[in-house]
């Protein structure tokens, strides 16, 4: 009820009609058997019945007001999707068929064959947990990806096509029994992914690397990926090789924007291209500021990688690393994050004192970002 389209036709509709939310629980596990989280909202239709002395409770804490997003912050309308951000962020392709996936042994066997260049279609396969758990944020699995190749083109890779014919085609024929256009297409073009994400592929073409992030999680983490890596549909791809772009995604301003305008899945953040990336107001394009952000981002990523691999007795992933940071470890990494935040604030020409995290600074940053979104 607090997310996206559901909010627009429920809580935003109530607020527009004069309703006032008097108390709410933003997210709590459902007490029944279903493994879901729910929101609980109480509201009154007539604002005059709510006195100044009436306490408003959000998650059992008294607040001045409760917004339709079930937050206590400023109640902004949804930010505008910005033309300059269009066509730069994507959800990864959707295979629709576990049979496309390969073990390391299966992939190595195909890649070793000599009758075709199997590296064209046998690709490292990136999942969200690879970003958050693997020490080098690299794919730990493989997948057969024919992209938009015709069957005749796919036949040039006979051993890979044989795997898909054996594993995927029967599943498509058995499960996709409906008459819709999508179901019919998946039965007929059984060697291709259910969604090939060709717009993403065109945007990535020719780039030496790209940015990838987990779509869901306690925190959203951004990493570089090689162009050979195939992201899965729980990965958000940013089509850029520019370290300044990665720096802007790693900064606190963008993290606050995700928290405010992203969705939620249970207690996890949900990073979406349309409501988060496409609405984010990037700073003015200043070459000097851009270089400063890129240098700060490179330093942060290098130290982050070093700590994941050598910071402890055994390598760790980003989730464990930042859990330790929250406990007080690796203060030099915190300093690098703050240095990046200062570089980003300098690009906006905003006070660098806002790099110090506090509720007041967070609200001020969100206000400035929202105002810039509305002005672009």
């Amino acid at each position: 009820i607090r997310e996206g389209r559901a909010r627009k036709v429920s809580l935003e509709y109530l607020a527009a009609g004069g309703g006032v939310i008097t108390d709410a629980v933003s997210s709590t596990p459902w007490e029944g058997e279903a493994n879901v989280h729910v929101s609980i909202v109480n509201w009154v239709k007539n604002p005059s019945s709510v006195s100044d002395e009436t306490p408003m409770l959000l998650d059992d804490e008294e607040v001045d007001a409760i917004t339709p997003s079930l937050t206590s912050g400023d109640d902004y309308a949804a930010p505008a999707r910005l033309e300059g951000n269009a066509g730069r962020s994507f959800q990864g392709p959707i295979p629709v068929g576990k049979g496309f996936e390969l073990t390391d042994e299966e992939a190595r066997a195909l890649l070793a064959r000599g009758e075709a260049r199997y590296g064209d279609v046998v690709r490292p396969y990136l999942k969200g947990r690879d970003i958050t758990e693997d020490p080098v944020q690299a794919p730990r699995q493989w997948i057969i990806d024919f992209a938009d190749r015709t069957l005749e083109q796919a036949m040039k890779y006979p051993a890979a096509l044989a795997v898909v014919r054996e594993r995927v085609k029967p599943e498509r024929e058995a499960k996709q029994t409906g008459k819709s256009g999508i179901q019919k297409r998946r039965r007929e073009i059984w060697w291709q992914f259910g969604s090939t994400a060709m717009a993403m592929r065109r945007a990535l073409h020719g780039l030496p690397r790209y940015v990838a992030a987990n779509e869901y999680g306690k925190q959203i983490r951004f990493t570089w990926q090689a162009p050979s890596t195939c992201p899965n549909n729980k990965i958000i791809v940013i089509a850029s090789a520019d370290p300044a772009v990665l720096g802007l995604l790693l900064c606190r301003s963008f993290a606050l924007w995700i928290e405010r305008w992203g969705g939620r899945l249970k207690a996890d953040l949900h990073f979406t291209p349309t409501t988060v990336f496409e609405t984010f107001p990037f700073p003015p394009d200043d070459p000097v500021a851009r270089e400063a952000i890129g240098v700060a981002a490179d330093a942060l990523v290098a130290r982050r990688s070093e700590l994941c691999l050598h910071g402890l007795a055994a390598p760790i992933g980003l989730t464990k690393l930042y859990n330790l940071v929250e406990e007080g470890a690796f203060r030099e990494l915190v300093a690098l994050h703050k240095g990046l935040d200062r570089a980003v604030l300098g690009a906006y020409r905003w006070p660098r004192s806002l790099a110090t995290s506090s509720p007041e600074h967070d609200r001020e940053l969100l206000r400035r970002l929202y105002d810039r979104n509305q002005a672009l």
Side-chain angles (χ1 to χ4, degrees), residues 107-114 118:
R108 299 293 179 190
L110 285 173
L111 292 169
R113 296 177 69 96
Y118 281 97

Side-chain angles (χ1 to χ4, degrees), residues 61-247:
E61 293 187 8
E62 190 168 335
V63 296
D64 294 331
I66 303 173
T67 74
S69 301
L70 301 188
T71 66
S72 59
D74 295 323
D75 187 18
Y76 301 117
R81 293 169 67 178
L82 303 174
E83 184 177 352
N85 294 7
R88 299 172 62 191
S89 60
F90 307 89
Q91 178 190 34
I94 309 173
V96 188
K98 295 289 288 184
F100 289 104
E101 298 183 22
L102 300 170
T103 65
D104 188 69
E105 183 179 0
E106 290 171 330
R108 299 293 179 190
L110 285 173
L111 292 169
R113 296 177 69 96
E115 74 272 13
R117 195 170 67 180
Y118 281 97
D120 294 344
V121 298
V122 177
R123 305 178 64 193
Y125 189 41
L126 183 72
K127 298 183 177 181
R129 287 186 176 180
D130 298 328
I131 289 177
T132 58
E133 297 178 0
D134 187 74
V136 294
Q137 300 89 54
R140 295 175 290 184
Q141 200 170 346
W142 297 78
I143 196 162
I144 297 173
D145 173 20
F146 287 116
D148 63 346
R149 289 175 172 84
T150 64
L151 182 56
E152 291 83 357
Q153 291 170 327
M155 289 168 61
K156 296 179 181 179
Y157 311 90
L161 185 62
V163 172
V164 176
R165 180 180 283 113
E166 177 184 350
R167 298 180 184 178
V168 178
K169 186 180 181 185
E171 181 182 352
R172 293 273 182 95
E173 291 175 342
K175 291 186 177 181
Q176 301 296 334
T177 57
K179 297 181 179 179
S180 73
I182 293 176
Q183 292 170 328
K184 183 174 183 291
R185 179 195 176 280
R186 288 175 179 170
R187 286 196 302 273
E188 293 177 349
I189 311 180
W190 48 268
W191 62 95
Q192 291 183 12
F193 288 171
S195 171
T196 56
M198 294 310 299
M200 178 201 76
R201 296 171 193 267
R202 288 190 290 271
L204 294 180
H205 181 71
L207 292 180
R209 60 185 179 179
Y210 66 87
V211 180
N214 51 308
E215 182 182 11
Y216 297 99
K218 177 185 174 183
Q219 296 295 328
I220 306 302
R221 303 297 179 194
F222 296 90
T223 66
W224 290 123
Q225 295 297 325
S228 59
T229 296
C230 177
N232 86 342
N233 57 295
K234 300 302 181 184
I235 296 292
I236 302 302
V237 168
I238 311 299
S240 177
D242 186 348
V245 171
L246 179 60

